[in-house]
Amino acid sequence: MAFHQAAPSLGNQYDSDSLLREYLERNLPAELLSRFESEYRALGELNGGELFRLSLADLDAEPVHTVWDPWGNRIDEVEVTEVWKRAQVICAEHGLVAAGYDAELGAYARVHQHILNYVTQASLDTYNCPLAMTDGAARTLLDSGNRALIDHALPRLLSRDPTTMWTSGQWMTERVGGSDVGQTETIARRDGDRWRLYGTKWFTSATTADMALTLARPEGNPPGSRGLAMFYLELRDEDGKLQNLHINRLKDKFGTRKLPTAELTLDGVEAIPVAGLEGGVRNITPMLNVTRTWNAVAAVLGMRRAVALTRDYADKREAFGAALIEKPLHVDTMADMVAETQGAFLLAFRVVELLGRIEAGESSESEQLLSRLLTPIGKLTTGKQAVAVASEALESFGGAGYVNDTGLPKLLADAQVLPIWEGTTNVLSLDTLRALKQEGVWDAFVGEIRARLDASTDPRLNVAVERCQAAVRHAGQWLEATLAERDLVEAGARRFAMTLGRATELALLANHAQWCLDAGKGERGLAAARRFARSRIDLIEDESFMDESRLLVD
């Protein structure tokens, strides 16, 4: 009888996620959990069942760009995949953007919103990307105070009706560079009482969006970032035709291939200044805070998917006379994946919690300072973890993990964008240092860690508590010793930021483990905290290796 390997399958992605259910019981008021749990469960069933099967059936489909119609008219139409068409309806109806602005939920609006995304998005082929930018645009417009644009765009961006909901783009990257937006070459020119934009955007991940926020330099403004302004534009006219925009091509990317990322030429598209004719980088910052939070949640939902598939396959795959789940080394490898995923989950949702409290006006000054630090740290730490866990997952499948039509390589290809989007690891490491220049930020961080560890009283958590304390203490000493030496602190910024990220995850894991023990939830949380504590938490090197680094790369 021939042997055939069994493909991995998924069950309900809410019911099978013990950490998620523990987190909700601990952090969401009982009345809200009772109100929303049936929706979480229904979306978890959809995610692990019908949508998962649809994403596999639609695996080879990609967006198609049609430049010309049969009569020679330039139309620049983009046809998205069946999964994306289904996603547009699901995400609107369940309010995967709108829920974050539900005033009735107060400080819990963001937690509810991102739980909806967490239990849904893994089978929706990175549809969370346009949703993240839509959310960011809504937040940015609200913070701008531009009442005309708020009244016009917000009802559409936050609609729960698929026929009326808008999505938004965020157009910042140009040919001269990504993170260095001061080099922006797009020009804004007056045309009577209107403004028109001229330039090229090199990466636009929302080509099918209805509107966009973008940076441009009004003619006559000085060079650099201080001369930029933030503009609002709508992509299409009432007939659905692009307005003085040309799609040059769709990007041929390594991953996120269902997402129609394009190069665009702005050839006089009409635009509206959102908040004056300067300060564009400052004015668009609220969008980045929101999209970086989405990025962290995307990382953990991707890690969760990788772990779920790996775990199911371990039950089915037999090698050397037994199932993989019976092999001690394979179990030990998977345990590391689970611990990393759980640490990333708790960090990402701590960032979500802080955002919700700030927006609801319920945050303390310390929480506001902590959010300024943990938002970049959460994004950079979870982005790196997502790639590592996806890579380990592919290896756990052996050769099948390297074959495209299993759908498994997509886990790694899609994860690899997470350390790049919304600021690379190095860029966000430097942003971490900038955040710490604000008075009180370090004290807020230390206070957060201390509170989590002080509550972790079970003696079996001592190893986690001690390793976390040592890493944070070392990080503070290093910062104090090197802050005045610009080259030294910049060279060590990545190690420093990752140390803060992993120490925060360890503190949160220990705190959650203690809650689980006190609430009678068993020792799984304890095992996760102890396993994570044995990984490398403190990445800082006291000695400067700048000369050696230069020697190696020159």
Side-chain angles (χ1 to χ4, degrees), residues 381-443:
T381 305
T382 59
K384 283 296 188 185
Q385 289 174 298
V387 174
V389 168
S391 178
E392 200 70 72
L394 263 62
E395 187 175 344
S396 75
F397 284 90
Y402 205 64
V403 176
N404 279 324
D405 58 10
T406 64
L408 296 168
K410 188 171 173 290
L411 294 171
L412 179 58
D414 288 352
Q416 187 59 63
V417 79
L418 296 168
I420 299 172
W421 268 347
E422 311 308 318
T424 63
T425 305
N426 283 358
V427 166
L428 293 182
S429 297
L430 296 176
D431 190 44
T432 297
L433 295 179
R434 283 191 293 273
L436 285 166
K437 291 181 180 179
Q438 184 174 351
E439 185 177 354
V441 170
W442 180 256
D443 290 340

Coordinates of all heavy atoms in Angstrom, one line a residue, residues 381-443:
T381 N 10.3 43.9 17.6 CA 10.5 42.6 18.3 C 9.7 41.5 17.7 O 10.2 40.4 17.3 CB 10.3 42.7 19.8 OG1 11.0 43.8 20.3 CG2 10.6 41.4 20.5
T382 N 8.4 41.8 17.5 CA 7.5 40.7 17.0 C 7.8 40.5 15.5 O 7.6 39.3 15.1 CB 6.0 41.1 17.2 OG1 5.8 42.4 16.5 CG2 5.7 41.3 18.7
G383 N 8.2 41.5 14.8 CA 8.5 41.3 13.4 C 9.6 40.3 13.2 O 9.6 39.4 12.3
K384 N 10.7 40.4 14.0 CA 11.8 39.4 13.9 C 11.3 38.1 14.4 O 11.7 37.0 13.8 CB 12.9 39.9 14.8 CG 13.7 41.1 14.2 CD 14.4 40.6 12.9 CE 15.4 41.6 12.3 NZ 16.0 41.1 11.0
Q385 N 10.5 38.0 15.4 CA 10.1 36.7 15.9 C 9.2 36.0 14.9 O 9.3 34.8 14.7 CB 9.3 36.9 17.2 CG 10.1 37.3 18.4 CD 9.2 37.6 19.6 OE1 8.4 38.5 19.6 NE2 9.4 36.8 20.7
A386 N 8.4 36.7 14.2 CA 7.5 36.1 13.2 C 8.3 35.4 12.1 O 7.9 34.3 11.6 CB 6.6 37.2 12.5
V387 N 9.4 36.0 11.6 CA 10.2 35.4 10.6 C 10.9 34.1 11.2 O 10.9 33.1 10.5 CB 11.3 36.4 10.1 CG1 12.3 35.7 9.1 CG2 10.7 37.6 9.4
A388 N 11.4 34.2 12.4 CA 12.1 33.0 13.0 C 11.1 31.9 13.2 O 11.4 30.7 12.9 CB 12.7 33.4 14.3
V389 N 9.9 32.1 13.7 CA 8.9 31.1 13.9 C 8.4 30.5 12.6 O 8.3 29.3 12.4 CB 7.7 31.6 14.7 CG1 6.6 30.6 14.8 CG2 8.2 31.9 16.2
A390 N 8.2 31.3 11.6 CA 7.8 30.8 10.3 C 8.8 29.9 9.7 O 8.5 28.9 9.1 CB 7.4 32.0 9.3
S391 N 10.1 30.3 9.8 CA 11.2 29.5 9.2 C 11.2 28.2 9.9 O 11.4 27.1 9.3 CB 12.5 30.3 9.4 OG 13.6 29.5 8.9
E392 N 11.1 28.2 11.2 CA 11.1 26.9 12.0 C 9.9 26.0 11.6 O 10.0 24.8 11.5 CB 11.1 27.2 13.5 CG 11.6 26.1 14.4 CD 13.0 25.8 14.2 OE1 13.8 26.6 14.7 OE2 13.4 24.8 13.6
A393 N 8.8 26.6 11.4 CA 7.6 25.9 10.9 C 7.8 25.2 9.6 O 7.5 24.0 9.5 CB 6.4 26.8 10.9
L394 N 8.4 25.9 8.6 CA 8.7 25.3 7.4 C 9.6 24.1 7.5 O 9.4 23.0 6.9 CB 9.3 26.3 6.4 CG 8.3 27.0 5.4 CD1 7.3 27.8 6.2 CD2 9.1 27.9 4.5
E395 N 10.6 24.2 8.3 CA 11.6 23.1 8.5 C 10.9 21.9 9.2 O 11.2 20.8 8.9 CB 12.7 23.6 9.4 CG 13.8 22.6 9.6 CD 15.0 23.1 10.3 OE1 15.1 24.4 10.5 OE2 15.9 22.3 10.8
S396 N 9.9 22.2 10.0 CA 9.2 21.1 10.7 C 8.4 20.2 9.7 O 8.1 19.0 10.1 CB 8.3 21.6 11.8 OG 7.1 22.1 11.2
F397 N 8.1 20.7 8.5 CA 7.4 19.9 7.5 C 8.4 19.2 6.6 O 7.9 18.5 5.6 CB 6.5 20.8 6.7 CG 5.3 21.2 7.4 CD1 5.2 22.4 8.2 CD2 4.1 20.5 7.3 CE1 4.1 22.7 8.9 CE2 2.9 20.8 8.0 CZ 2.9 22.0 8.8
G398 N 9.7 19.4 6.8 CA 10.6 18.8 5.9 C 10.5 19.4 4.5 O 10.2 20.5 4.3
G399 N 10.6 18.5 3.5 CA 10.6 19.0 2.1 C 9.2 19.6 1.7 O 9.2 20.6 0.9
A400 N 8.1 19.2 2.3 CA 6.8 19.7 2.0 C 6.8 21.2 2.4 O 6.0 22.0 1.8 CB 5.7 19.0 2.8
G401 N 7.6 21.6 3.4 CA 7.6 23.0 3.7 C 8.2 23.9 2.7 O 8.1 25.2 2.8
Y402 N 8.9 23.3 1.7 CA 9.6 24.1 0.7 C 8.9 24.0 -0.6 O 9.4 24.5 -1.6 CB 11.0 23.6 0.6 CG 12.0 24.6 0.1 CD1 12.3 25.7 0.8 CD2 12.7 24.4 -1.1 CE1 13.2 26.7 0.3 CE2 13.6 25.3 -1.6 CZ 13.9 26.4 -0.9 OH 14.8 27.4 -1.4
V403 N 7.7 23.4 -0.7 CA 7.0 23.2 -1.9 C 5.8 24.2 -1.9 O 5.0 24.2 -1.1 CB 6.5 21.8 -2.0 CG1 5.6 21.6 -3.3 CG2 7.6 20.8 -2.0
N404 N 5.8 25.1 -3.0 CA 4.9 26.2 -3.0 C 3.4 25.7 -2.9 O 2.6 26.4 -2.3 CB 5.1 27.0 -4.2 CG 6.3 28.0 -4.0 OD1 6.5 28.5 -2.9 ND2 7.0 28.2 -5.1
D405 N 3.1 24.7 -3.6 CA 1.6 24.4 -3.7 C 1.1 23.7 -2.4 O -0.1 23.4 -2.3 CB 1.3 23.5 -4.9 CG 2.0 22.2 -5.0 OD1 2.7 21.8 -4.0 OD2 1.9 21.5 -6.0
T406 N 1.9 23.5 -1.4 CA 1.4 23.2 -0.1 C 0.8 24.4 0.6 O 0.1 24.3 1.6 CB 2.5 22.6 0.8 OG1 3.5 23.5 1.1 CG2 3.1 21.3 0.2
G407 N 1.2 25.6 0.2 CA 0.9 26.8 0.8 C 1.8 27.2 2.0 O 1.6 28.3 2.5
L408 N 2.7 26.3 2.4 CA 3.5 26.5 3.5 C 4.6 27.6 3.3 O 4.8 28.4 4.2 CB 4.1 25.2 4.0 CG 3.1 24.2 4.5 CD1 3.8 22.8 4.6 CD2 2.5 24.6 5.8
P409 N 5.3 27.6 2.2 CA 6.3 28.7 2.0 C 5.7 30.1 2.2 O 6.5 31.0 2.5 CB 6.8 28.4 0.6 CG 6.6 27.0 0.4 CD 5.3 26.7 1.1
K410 N 4.4 30.3 1.9 CA 3.8 31.6 2.0 C 3.9 32.1 3.4 O 3.9 33.3 3.7 CB 2.4 31.4 1.6 CG 1.6 32.7 1.5 CD 0.2 32.4 0.8 CE -0.7 33.6 0.8 NZ -1.2 33.9 2.1
L411 N 3.9 31.2 4.4 CA 4.1 31.6 5.8 C 5.3 32.5 6.0 O 5.3 33.5 6.7 CB 4.1 30.4 6.8 CG 2.9 29.5 6.9 CD1 3.2 28.3 7.7 CD2 1.7 30.3 7.5
L412 N 6.4 32.0 5.5 CA 7.7 32.7 5.6 C 7.8 33.9 4.7 O 8.2 35.0 5.1 CB 8.9 31.7 5.3 CG 10.3 32.3 5.4 CD1 10.5 32.9 6.8 CD2 11.3 31.3 5.0
A413 N 7.3 33.8 3.5 CA 7.4 34.9 2.5 C 6.6 36.1 3.0 O 7.0 37.2 2.9 CB 6.9 34.4 1.1
D414 N 5.4 35.8 3.6 CA 4.6 36.9 4.1 C 5.1 37.4 5.4 O 4.9 38.6 5.7 CB 3.1 36.4 4.3 CG 2.4 36.2 2.9 OD1 2.9 36.6 1.9 OD2 1.3 35.6 3.0
A415 N 5.7 36.6 6.2 CA 6.3 37.1 7.5 C 7.5 38.0 7.2 O 7.7 39.0 8.0 CB 6.7 35.9 8.3
Q416 N 8.2 37.8 6.1 CA 9.5 38.6 5.9 C 9.2 40.1 5.7 O 10.1 40.9 6.0 CB 10.2 38.0 4.7 CG 11.6 38.6 4.5 CD 12.5 38.4 5.7 OE1 12.8 37.3 6.1 NE2 12.9 39.5 6.4
V417 N 8.0 40.4 5.3 CA 7.7 41.9 5.2 C 7.6 42.6 6.5 O 7.7 43.8 6.6 CB 6.5 42.1 4.3 CG1 5.2 41.9 5.1 CG2 6.5 43.4 3.6
L418 N 7.3 41.8 7.6 CA 6.9 42.5 8.8 C 8.1 43.2 9.5 O 7.8 44.3 10.1 CB 6.4 41.4 9.8 CG 5.0 40.8 9.3 CD1 4.7 39.6 10.2 CD2 3.9 41.8 9.4
P419 N 9.3 42.8 9.4 CA 10.4 43.7 9.9 C 10.7 44.9 8.9 O 11.6 45.7 9.3 CB 11.6 42.7 9.9 CG 11.1 41.3 9.8 CD 9.8 41.5 9.0
I420 N 10.1 44.9 7.8 CA 10.4 46.0 6.8 C 9.3 47.0 6.8 O 9.6 48.2 6.8 CB 10.5 45.3 5.4 CG1 11.7 44.3 5.4 CG2 10.8 46.4 4.3 CD1 11.8 43.5 4.1
W421 N 8.1 46.6 6.6 CA 6.9 47.6 6.6 C 7.0 48.5 7.8 O 7.4 48.1 8.9 CB 5.6 46.8 6.7 CG 5.0 46.5 5.4 CD1 5.3 46.9 4.2 CD2 3.9 45.5 5.2 NE1 4.5 46.4 3.2 CE2 3.7 45.5 3.8 CE3 3.2 44.7 6.1 CZ2 2.7 44.7 3.3 CZ3 2.2 43.9 5.5 CH2 1.9 43.9 4.1
E422 N 6.5 49.7 7.7 CA 6.3 50.7 8.8 C 7.6 51.0 9.6 O 7.5 51.3 10.8 CB 5.2 50.2 9.7 CG 3.9 49.8 9.0 CD 3.4 50.9 8.0 OE1 3.4 52.0 8.4 OE2 3.0 50.5 6.9
G423 N 8.7 50.8 8.9 CA 10.0 51.1 9.6 C 10.8 49.8 9.9 O 10.3 48.9 10.5
T424 N 12.0 49.7 9.3 CA 12.8 48.6 9.5 C 13.3 48.4 11.0 O 13.1 49.4 11.8 CB 14.1 48.6 8.6 OG1 14.9 49.7 9.0 CG2 13.7 48.7 7.1
T425 N 13.9 47.3 11.3 CA 14.3 47.1 12.7 C 15.3 48.2 13.1 O 15.2 48.7 14.2 CB 15.0 45.7 12.8 OG1 14.0 44.7 12.3 CG2 15.4 45.4 14.2
N426 N 16.2 48.5 12.2 CA 17.2 49.6 12.6 C 16.6 50.9 12.7 O 16.9 51.7 13.7 CB 18.3 49.6 11.5 CG 19.3 48.5 11.6 OD1 19.2 47.7 12.5 ND2 20.3 48.4 10.7
V427 N 15.7 51.3 11.9 CA 15.0 52.6 12.0 C 14.2 52.7 13.3 O 14.3 53.7 14.0 CB 14.0 52.8 10.7 CG1 13.1 53.9 11.0 CG2 14.9 53.0 9.5
L428 N 13.5 51.6 13.6 CA 12.7 51.6 14.9 C 13.6 51.5 16.1 O 13.2 52.0 17.2 CB 11.7 50.5 14.9 CG 10.6 50.7 13.8 CD1 9.6 49.6 13.9 CD2 9.9 52.0 14.0
S429 N 14.8 50.9 16.0 CA 15.7 50.9 17.1 C 16.2 52.3 17.4 O 16.3 52.7 18.6 CB 16.9 50.0 16.8 OG 16.5 48.7 16.6
L430 N 16.4 53.1 16.4 CA 16.8 54.5 16.6 C 15.6 55.3 17.1 O 15.8 56.2 17.9 CB 17.3 55.1 15.3 CG 18.6 54.5 14.7 CD1 19.0 55.1 13.4 CD2 19.8 54.7 15.7
D431 N 14.4 55.0 16.7 CA 13.2 55.6 17.2 C 13.1 55.3 18.7 O 12.6 56.2 19.5 CB 12.0 55.2 16.4 CG 10.8 56.0 16.8 OD1 10.9 57.3 16.9 OD2 9.7 55.5 17.0
T432 N 13.5 54.1 19.1 CA 13.5 53.8 20.5 C 14.4 54.7 21.3 O 14.0 55.2 22.4 CB 13.9 52.3 20.7 OG1 13.0 51.4 20.1 CG2 14.0 51.9 22.2
L433 N 15.5 55.0 20.8 CA 16.5 55.9 21.5 C 15.9 57.3 21.5 O 16.0 58.0 22.6 CB 17.8 55.9 20.8 CG 18.6 54.6 20.8 CD1 19.9 54.8 20.0 CD2 18.9 54.2 22.2
R434 N 15.2 57.7 20.5 CA 14.6 59.1 20.5 C 13.5 59.1 21.5 O 13.3 60.1 22.2 CB 14.0 59.4 19.1 CG 15.1 59.8 18.1 CD 14.4 60.4 16.8 NE 13.7 59.4 16.1 CZ 14.2 58.6 15.2 NH1 15.5 58.7 14.9 NH2 13.5 57.7 14.5
A435 N 12.7 58.0 21.7 CA 11.6 58.0 22.7 C 12.2 58.2 24.1 O 11.6 58.9 24.9 CB 10.9 56.7 22.6
L436 N 13.4 57.6 24.3 CA 14.0 57.7 25.6 C 14.6 59.0 26.0 O 14.9 59.3 27.1 CB 15.0 56.6 25.8 CG 14.4 55.2 25.9 CD1 15.5 54.1 25.7 CD2 13.8 55.0 27.3
K437 N 14.6 59.9 25.0 CA 15.1 61.3 25.3 C 14.0 62.1 26.0 O 14.3 63.1 26.6 CB 15.5 62.0 24.0 CG 16.8 61.4 23.4 CD 17.2 62.2 22.1 CE 18.4 61.6 21.5 NZ 18.8 62.3 20.3
Q438 N 12.8 61.6 25.9 CA 11.7 62.3 26.6 C 11.7 62.0 28.1 O 11.8 60.8 28.5 CB 10.3 61.9 26.0 CG 9.2 62.6 26.5 CD 7.9 62.3 25.8 OE1 7.9 61.6 24.8 NE2 6.7 62.8 26.3
E439 N 11.7 63.0 28.9 CA 11.7 62.8 30.3 C 10.6 61.9 30.8 O 9.4 62.0 30.5 CB 11.7 64.1 31.0 CG 11.9 64.0 32.6 CD 11.9 65.4 33.2 OE1 11.8 66.4 32.5 OE2 11.9 65.4 34.5
G440 N 11.0 60.9 31.6 CA 10.0 60.0 32.2 C 9.8 58.7 31.5 O 9.1 57.8 32.1
V441 N 10.2 58.6 30.3 CA 10.0 57.4 29.5 C 10.6 56.2 30.1 O 10.0 55.1 30.3 CB 10.4 57.5 28.0 CG1 10.3 56.2 27.3 CG2 9.4 58.6 27.3
W442 N 11.9 56.3 30.5 CA 12.6 55.2 31.1 C 12.0 54.7 32.4 O 11.8 53.6 32.7 CB 14.1 55.5 31.2 CG 14.9 54.3 31.8 CD1 15.3 54.2 33.1 CD2 15.2 53.1 31.2 NE1 15.9 53.0 33.3 CE2 15.9 52.3 32.1 CE3 15.1 52.6 29.9 CZ2 16.4 51.0 31.8 CZ3 15.5 51.3 29.6 CH2 16.2 50.5 30.6
D443 N 11.7 55.7 33.2 CA 11.0 55.4 34.5 C 9.7 54.7 34.3 O 9.3 53.8 35.1 CB 10.8 56.7 35.3 CG 12.1 57.3 35.8 OD1 13.1 56.5 35.9 OD2 12.2 58.5 36.1

